[in-house]
Each structure stands twice: as structure tokens, then as C-alpha cells.
């Protein structure tokens, strides 16, 4: 038998990664996929085929955790059918719960915290070669050296897609009183600008057309180091990368969003580079100054309104999107009404709305006047109904306009429809035509507007 025949006949080994939570987790999953691939494993979505299953978890709200616990439960039978199967938990819930997860679920082989992202390969090797039984790796401090030096120019999970992510910083220093992120992701660490640019360029060469720069608070990029370029400087540099057509970023903290960033986006449009997109995602969280203060957000609604005014004056065709929490402790009916009034005043293009979820060991978990679930649910419904009306109304004004769309590919539910996004991050659906390919920028005339999508015709 020849060498090549031997290798082709060798059974291949597969891994699956299931990602919960935010884009940062999606990007971490690429890091896991990269390590497993280098160990000789190939990606599969079929759990039955996999020798390694990794759940990359989130603990931002109780609902996220419940879903994940359900999934871990479901994996038990796979482990029973195949005792050699390796099952691991990574991500924010792993960092938070650590050995409690190992104790609770006998089907788990390892727990990998958010400070050990680059150690997955060692964990797998130890489990297989050294026949270790269970591994818990969740150190308190991040591996700064690996974070600074390991750039990923190949994305396995987003392979073939038009758009992907580049982290610019890790962690969060803000300690909003409701939020678990600073406890499971540590303090802010900015990546060196040279690494970010190198990675973005390489991804552009691989064929990605759109890059979203990631951080929990991108506007504080560079502040953790001396003489580091700031976020606006970084945006300006990325705007000059030839291989990329569009650049987005998330998330902005309203307190740290500033004129320099807004002006940089304006310059990008005027200069003709036009990679920086006119979507401003600035989570407000509440429209009541009393609640904002209790949340430790560091701004008032008046400040926020001025910020929106500046953005809308300088970038007239922009979209403004936000996150809102209902039922934060102490939110009375009157304070909730204030949020409704504020939403009507600002008129967000879209709002991601959440029911406040108690996170253990965060300050707000022990605040007085927790709001009963029934009230939270009622408030969420009122809020989303109003927001949907506003979104539809704003979108209706786009009918008959021509917008630049980046084609992403086939629509999920209909292969004869293509889906893409406007610069303002609105989804546009149009009839598929072989003339057009994913990754192309085309002009589309909007023919019908809905709350969440626009329908159009290429011109
Ligand atoms: N760093 C980003 C994202 C944080 S998580 C930011 O500051 O915006 C995304 C959203 O989840 C937050 O904006 C907030 O609206 C929501 N969120 C965070 N903790 C929550 C909690 N305990 N209960 C409900 N929603 C929460
Ligand atoms: Fe959480 Fe606030 Fe940090 Fe966002 S800024 S991750 S909401 S603590
Ligand atoms: Fe969830 Fe962690 Fe992201 S808690 S929202 S996966 S940073």
C-alpha cells in the first residue's frame, strides 16, 4: 500500500463547536477551531460524527444559562453511546461556574475558562495521551502574551462567509451593576494596532469583505497602554485597508463615544474610502436618569440626546440602534414610562430589548425593589410594540430610495432570495440573479419596507 493510500484510508476525526452569546464568543470559537484543526480534527455540525464536542457558553442572562444546561443534559446519551467522546465547556459560564459544572455533569471531560482560550490543544492532548480523567483549567489572569501575539488569519466557522470579526480588545472595566461580563472577562486589554491591521488585511486577502471590530467597549481602545493609538486612530487605519469593503464595530459605550470617532466616520465617507459604515450602536439601557445612575452607566439621558444630535447632524443618513433593559431593580411604572418617552424622542432604528436578569455577585442582584417577573414581561411587550412601530415607520421612509447593499448570500429560508445589508446594517432581501455574487456591493431600490427587513430590486 502506498503512503498516499494509507493517509486517505486513515479515519478522520471530527470536532463540533456550539457557540452561545455574543460575537466575542463567536470569535473565540474560531480560536478553538484553529487549535483543534492543528491537532488534526475537522469541523462537523453533526454531533454523532464528532470525537470532540465543545460548548462555548454565555452567562449574560439566566435564559442563556438555562438553554446551555439543557444542551449539556442532552449530550449525556451521546457520551453513553460513545465513551471515547470528549465533551468540554468553554466560555463565560465555564469561567463563572468552574468545577461546579464538572460535579453536576458526569458527561463532561473538561472545563476551559476565558483566560485559557489558547490552552485547548494541551487539554485535548492531556485527555487523550496522558489519559487524564477530568480537566479544569480556569486561571484568574489572562494569558496576555498569547492575546497579543496570536493572530488568526484563517476562520474555520465563518469560512466562505462575506463577513467576520476581529477583536481589538478584551475585557471590560465598566462594572455596570447588572452585568457579569467584567467578572468573567477580566479588565480591559487592547491588542497592538499592528496585529489588528495584519489580521484584518489577511482576512481581506482570504475573501472577507466586511470586518466587525470587537470589544466590550471599543471606544476605550488603547487607553490601557501608554502612547497607544486611540479608537478613532484605529478606525482611520482600518479604513485604508484595500482588501476590505466595509468596517463595523461593536460595542460603543455612550459615555466614551466622542467627536473624534464621529468625525473619522464622516471623513471616511467624504474621502471616498467609505469603509466605515453609518450605523451607530450605542446601548442606552434605560431612559431614566435615576436608573442610569443605579446602573453605573456614567451618563444622563440629556447627555445621550446631545450625542445622538451630534451624530445625526454630522451623519444625516445614519442609523442609530440600541440595547434596553426593562425591570432593573427600583424601576417603577413612572420610571419605565420615562424610558418609553425617551425612546419616542430618540426614535431608534432598532432596539434589542432585554428583561433584567439577576446575576449572582453583581451589585444589582442585592438591590432592593426587585421587579416581579410579570411586570417585567408586561413592560417588555409594551416597549417592543412601541419600538416595532418606530422601526417600521423609519423603514417606510426608505421605500423607493436606492441603497448600497453588500450581498451576503442565499436567504436562510428561501434559496431563490438573496440577502444583504445596507451600510446602516438593515437587512435587504431581493430576488436571486446569477449576475450577482455574495461579496458584491450593489445598488438596490427599496420596494417594500417591513419592521425587520427591507425588500428591494437591484438597479
Ligand atoms: N459590552 C456591551 C455588551 C454587553 S452584553 C455593552 O456594554 O453594551 C449586551 C447587552 O446585554 C447589554 O447591552 C445589556 O442590554 C444586556 N444585559 C447585560 N447584562 C444583563 C442582565 N443582567 N440582564 C439583562 N440584560 C443584560
Ligand atoms: Fe457589561 Fe457594562 Fe461592560 Fe457592557 S460596559 S460589558 S454592559 S459592564
Ligand atoms: Fe455572554 Fe460572555 Fe459575551 S457572558 S454576552 S458570551 S462576553
Amino acid at each position: 500500500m502506498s503512503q498516499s493510500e494509507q493517509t486517505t484510508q486513515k479515519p478522520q476525526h471530527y470536532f463540533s463547536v456550539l457557540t452561545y452569546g455574543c460575537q466575542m464568543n463567536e470569535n473565540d470559537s474560531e480560536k478553538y477551531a484553529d487549535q483543534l484543526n492543528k491537532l488534526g480534527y475537522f469541523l462537523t455540525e453533526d454531533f454523532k460524527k464528532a470525537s470532540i464536542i465543545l460548548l462555548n457558553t454565555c452567562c449574560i442572562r439566566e435564559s442563556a444559562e438555562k438553554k446551555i444546561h439543557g444542551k449539556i443534559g442532552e449530550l449525556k446519551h451521546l457520551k453513553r453511546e460513545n465513551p471515547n467522546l470528549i465533551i468540554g465547556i468553554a466560555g463565560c459560564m465555564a469561567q463563572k461556574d468552574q468545577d461546579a459544572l464538572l460535579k453536576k455533569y458526569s458527561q463532561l471531560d473538561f472545563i476551559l475558562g476565558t483566560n485559557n482560550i489558547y490552552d485547548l490543544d494541551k487539554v485535548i492532548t492531556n485527555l487523550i495521551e496522558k489519559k487524564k480523567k477530568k480537566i479544569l483549567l480556569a486561571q484568574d489572569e489572562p494569558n496576555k502574551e498569547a492575546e497579543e501575539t496570536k493572530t488568526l488569519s484563517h476562520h474555520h466557522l465563518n469560512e466562505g462567509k462575506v463577513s467576520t470579526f476581529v477583536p481589538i480588545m478584551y475585557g471590560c472595566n465598566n462594572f455596570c451593576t447588572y452585568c457579569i461580563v467584567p467578572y468573567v472577562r477580566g479588565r480591559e486589554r487592547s491588542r497592538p494596532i499592528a496585529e489588528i491591521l495584519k489580521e484584518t488585511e489577511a482576512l481581506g486577502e482570504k475573501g472577507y469583505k466586511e470586518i466587525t471590530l470587537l470589544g466590550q467597549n471599543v471606544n476605550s481602545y488603547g487607553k490601557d497602554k501608554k502612547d497607544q493609538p486611540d479608537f478613532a486612530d484605529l478606525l482611520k487605519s482600518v479604513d485604508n485597508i484595500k482588501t476590505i469593503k466595509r468596517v463595523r464595530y461593536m460595542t460603543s459605550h455612550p459615555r466614551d463615544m466622542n467627536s473624534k470617532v464621529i468625525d473619522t466616520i464622516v471623513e471616511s465617507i467624504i474621502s471616498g474610502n467609505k469603509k466605515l459604515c453609518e450605523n451607530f450602536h450605542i446601548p442606552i439601557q434605560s431612559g431614566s436618569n435615576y436608573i442610569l445612575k443605579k446602573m453605573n452607566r456614567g451618563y444622563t439621558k440629556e447627555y445621550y440626546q446631545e450625542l445622538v444630535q451630534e451624530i445625526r447632524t454630522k451623519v444625516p443618513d445614519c442609523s442609530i440602534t440600541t440595547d434596553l433593559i426593562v425591570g432593573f431593580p427600583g424601576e417603577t411604572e413612572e420610571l419605565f414610562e420615562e424610558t418609553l418617552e425617551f425612546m419616542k424622542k430618540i426614535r431608534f432604528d432598532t432596539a434589542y430589548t432585554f428583561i433584567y436578569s439577576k446575576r449572582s455577585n453583581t451589585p444589582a442582584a442585592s438591590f432592593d425593589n426587585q421587579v416581579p417577573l410579570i411586570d417585567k414581561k408586561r413592560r417588555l411587550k409594551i416597549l417592543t410594540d412601541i419600538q416595532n412601530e418606530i422601526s417600521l415607520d423609519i423603514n417606510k421612509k426608505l421605500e423607493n430610495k436606492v441603497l448600497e447593499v453588500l450581498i451576503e448570500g442565499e436567504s436562510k429560508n428561501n434559496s431563490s432570495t438573496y440577502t444583504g445589508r445596507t451600510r446602516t446594517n438593515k437587512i435587504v432581501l431581493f430576488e436571486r440573479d446569477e449576475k450577482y455574487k455574495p461579496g458584491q456591493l450593489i445598488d438596490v431600490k427599496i420596494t417594500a419596507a417591513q419592521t425587520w427587513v427591507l425588500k428591494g430590486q437591484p438597479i
Side-chain angles (χ1 to χ4, degrees):
M1 199 189 280
S2 77
Q3 275 263 306
S4 67
E5 275 174 326
Q6 256 179 2
T7 38
T8 47
Q9 281 185 2
K10 214 167 123 188
Q12 288 192 334
H13 295 291
Y14 292 91
F15 71 93
S16 289
V17 182
L18 197 54
T19 311
Y20 297 85
C22 64
Q23 289 82 356
M24 193 58 88
N25 252 19
E26 281 188 45
N27 185 256
D28 290 343
S29 287
E30 296 287 1
K31 294 172 180 161
Y32 298 130
D34 184 60
Q35 292 172 66
L36 293 174
N37 191 253
K38 283 181 178 144
L39 287 180
Y41 293 84
F42 294 87
L43 179 66
T44 176
E45 284 177 16
D46 181 2
F47 276 13
K48 291 216 168 83
K49 213 163 118 182
S51 342
I52 301 172
I53 298 175
L54 182 66
L55 304 191
N56 189 9
T57 62
C58 172
C59 57
I60 196 82
R61 284 170 286 274
E62 197 188 345
S63 52
E65 290 197 309
K66 270 197 181 146
K67 223 195 288 173
I68 296 163
H69 281 285
K71 185 55 84 178
I72 302 174
E74 278 175 35
L75 295 178
K76 192 163 187 159
H77 78 276
L78 284 180
K79 183 80 172 179
R80 215 178 289 137
E81 282 166 21
N82 172 14
N84 290 328
L85 172 66
I86 294 176
I87 306 178
I89 306 293
C92 296
M93 198 167 112
Q95 185 70 26
K96 177 168 80 74
D97 292 339
Q98 304 197 2
D99 59 338
L101 290 169
L102 280 182
K103 283 192 191 122
K104 186 165 178 187
Y105 299 107
S106 61
Q107 63 270 44
L108 297 182
D109 298 284
F110 70 94
I111 305 293
L112 193 69
T114 53
N115 291 323
N116 294 84
I117 288 171
Y118 304 94
D119 297 322
L120 177 63
D121 46 5
K122 277 174 246 149
V123 169
I124 298 297
T125 312
N126 279 336
L127 283 168
I128 293 173
E129 286 172 9
K130 303 195 178 147
K131 307 237 180 286
K132 286 228 179 182
K133 283 232 147 43
K134 305 266 169 187
I135 295 181
L136 163 67
L137 212 52
Q139 68 197 35
D140 290 337
E141 290 301 319
N143 181 346
K144 287 194 185 169
E145 201 202 317
E147 283 180 350
E148 294 213 343
T149 53
K150 301 222 173 186
T151 62
L152 262 197
S153 54
H154 186 76
H155 287 180
H156 292 268
L157 303 163
N158 273 347
E159 180 147 25
K161 291 199 180 150
V162 166
S163 181
T164 197
F165 305 107
V166 172
I168 64 166
M169 58 192 300
Y170 302 106
C172 182
N173 290 355
N174 286 311
F175 290 95
C176 303
T177 54
Y178 51 80
C179 185
I180 191 101
V181 172
Y183 304 90
V184 291
R185 291 284 178 166
R187 297 295 72 70
E188 288 175 0
R189 290 100 61 196
S190 300
R191 292 181 69 198
I193 189 163
E195 293 296 314
I196 298 169
L197 298 178
K198 190 166 95 185
E199 191 166 313
T200 308
E201 240 163 71
L203 291 167
E205 273 158 24
K206 283 263 155 67
Y208 296 99
K209 305 295 177 209
E210 179 182 78
I211 292 293
T212 303
L213 305 175
L214 293 183
Q216 297 300 341
N217 174 11
V218 289
N219 301 78
S220 65
Y221 174 77
K223 288 183 188 167
D224 55 315
K225 285 188 187 138
K226 264 201 194 135
D227 305 321
Q228 177 94 351
D230 66 13
F231 182 56
D233 301 328
L234 172 64
L235 281 180
K236 205 172 168 154
S237 302
V238 178
D239 191 35
N240 283 314
I241 295 181
K242 300 260 174 326
T243 49
I244 294 293
K245 291 184 177 168
R246 279 184 177 178
V247 177
R248 303 184 184 280
Y249 53 90
M250 67 188 317
T251 304
S252 282
H253 194 299
R255 185 199 58 214
D256 299 322
M257 183 62 162
N258 58 33
S259 303
K260 190 175 170 192
V261 171
I262 302 167
D263 294 343
T264 305
I265 292 164
V266 174
E267 277 163 33
S268 165
I269 297 163
I270 296 173
S271 75
N273 271 0
K274 280 186 76 177
K275 296 180 209 281
L276 309 183
C277 291
E278 302 94 325
N279 168 231
F280 294 82
H281 182 64
I282 26 180
I284 174 84
Q285 311 299 358
S286 165
S288 142
N289 284 342
Y290 173 80
I291 295 291
L292 285 172
K293 192 153 192 208
K294 294 210 99 182
M295 287 176 162
N296 190 31
R297 289 291 289 176
Y299 53 84
T300 60
K301 64 177 174 182
E302 289 78 15
Y303 163 89
Y304 189 93
Q305 203 181 342
E306 273 177 36
L307 175 65
V308 167
Q309 211 150 20
E310 182 184 348
I311 294 171
R312 285 189 170 146
T313 308
K314 290 179 173 170
V315 196
D317 291 327
C318 72
S319 65
I320 295 189
T321 54
T322 206
D323 293 352
L324 277 156
I325 297 176
V326 297
F328 185 81
E331 185 188 72
T332 59
E333 235 23 69
E334 291 71 35
L335 295 177
F336 172 62
E337 299 271 333
E338 266 192 56
T339 294
L340 295 182
E341 285 314 305
F342 196 66
M343 279 173 68
K344 289 183 200 160
K345 204 185 260 178
I346 298 284
R347 292 178 60 80
F348 295 106
D349 288 79
T350 311
Y352 301 91
T353 51
F354 306 105
I355 282 181
Y356 168 71
S357 170
K358 237 183 186 186
R359 304 287 70 208
S360 49
N361 299 322
T362 60
S366 49
F367 284 177
D368 292 338
N369 302 318
Q370 297 283 333
V371 177
L373 185 60
I374 187 160
D375 290 328
K376 290 186 196 167
K377 284 189 174 163
R378 179 175 46 79
R379 288 179 195 170
L380 184 75
K381 169 97 176 63
I382 297 171
L383 196 81
T384 45
D385 283 351
I386 292 180
Q387 181 53 48
N388 288 346
E389 254 177 57
I390 298 173
S391 297
L392 182 60
D393 199 46
I394 293 177
N395 285 350
K396 281 275 176 207
K397 297 203 170 76
L398 297 173
E399 284 181 349
N400 296 316
K401 291 218 162 123
V402 175
L403 302 175
E404 183 200 274
V405 170
L406 176 63
I407 307 173
E408 290 178 353
E410 239 175 55
S411 146
K412 249 189 227 149
N413 328 316
N414 186 349
S415 61
S416 63
T417 303
Y418 259 159
T419 178
R421 274 170 203 266
T422 64
R423 298 178 55 83
T424 53
N425 211 21
K426 294 180 195 255
I427 297 169
V428 179
L429 302 176
F430 59 93
E431 204 178 315
R432 183 173 182 163
D433 183 328
E434 291 315 316
K435 248 196 323 208
Y436 305 116
K437 296 269 170 291
Q440 246 179 299
L441 283 178
I442 59 165
D443 283 334
V444 176
K445 184 172 178 177
I446 304 306
T447 51
Q450 297 173 358
T451 310
W452 290 97
V453 295
L454 304 170
K455 293 191 171 158
Q457 252 166 12
I459 55 162

